[in-house]
Amino acid sequence: MSKPIADHDAVIALTQKWLEKAVIGLNLCPFAKAVHIKNQIRYVVTEASTDEELMAVLMEELELLAETSPAKIDTTLIIHPQVLNDFEDYNDFLDVADAALEEMDLDGILQVASFHPDYQFADTDKNDIGNYTNRSPYPTLHLLREDSVDRAVEAFPEAEDIFEKNIETMEKLGHEGWDALGLQVKE
């Protein structure tokens, strides 16, 4: 059994700092600011130390999000510091998470997006700065409502260009600029 996370508030605070400085501050996701300002993001820090424990938390949170008004909770970040720290294991888990969506009849209603400290897009070098668009302080599963994503995309005239703009932003920022944001977890 792993040791308990000493301070959930500190984990959430660093995740919020990442959201504010990187995701919103660098405009990596133009949709994040509104839900952040309206306090519609649910932050869940889990003590899960196995894939099975994380799956139980994921299923509970999917159900909660599906049953809760978007005005109260529009999106959920499940932060899991003690499980799936290896990116390949994490990436494999995403297929299991998608299968859970289907099993719960939530496919097309909710989706799971992925953030990880060692995030790596296919066919990139591990240290490619473009990978940092999805690098969070801790392994994180981001639960989103499909309706909210659709509305945000309709409101954003060039949503299909977000990925390319993010890569350009990261290339201009560089590793030094990213490090200066101070988003790394201190061990």
Side-chain angles (χ1 to χ4, degrees), residues 57-92:
V57 172
L58 173 62
M59 293 177 82
E60 287 173 20
E61 291 299 325
L62 286 168
E63 189 173 310
L64 177 71
L65 187 60
E67 294 175 355
T68 304
S69 161
K72 186 173 181 181
I73 303 171
D74 194 63
T75 190
T76 300
L77 294 174
I78 302 173
I79 309 157
H80 46 96
Q82 300 189 98
V83 63
L84 301 176
N85 284 290
D86 178 84
F87 180 68
E88 287 184 31
D89 293 341
Y90 173 85
N91 208 32
D92 291 343

Side-chain angles (χ1 to χ4, degrees), residues 135-166:
R135 288 207 177 164
S136 55
Y138 302 97
T140 302
L141 298 170
H142 182 192
L143 312 185
L144 297 142
R145 298 173 186 274
E146 293 272 353
D147 286 348
S148 295
V149 172
D150 291 344
R151 277 192 307 277
V153 168
E154 284 176 22
F156 193 76
E158 297 160 356
E160 68 278 355
D161 298 333
I162 292 172
F163 180 77
E164 288 80 16
K165 287 180 181 182
N166 286 350

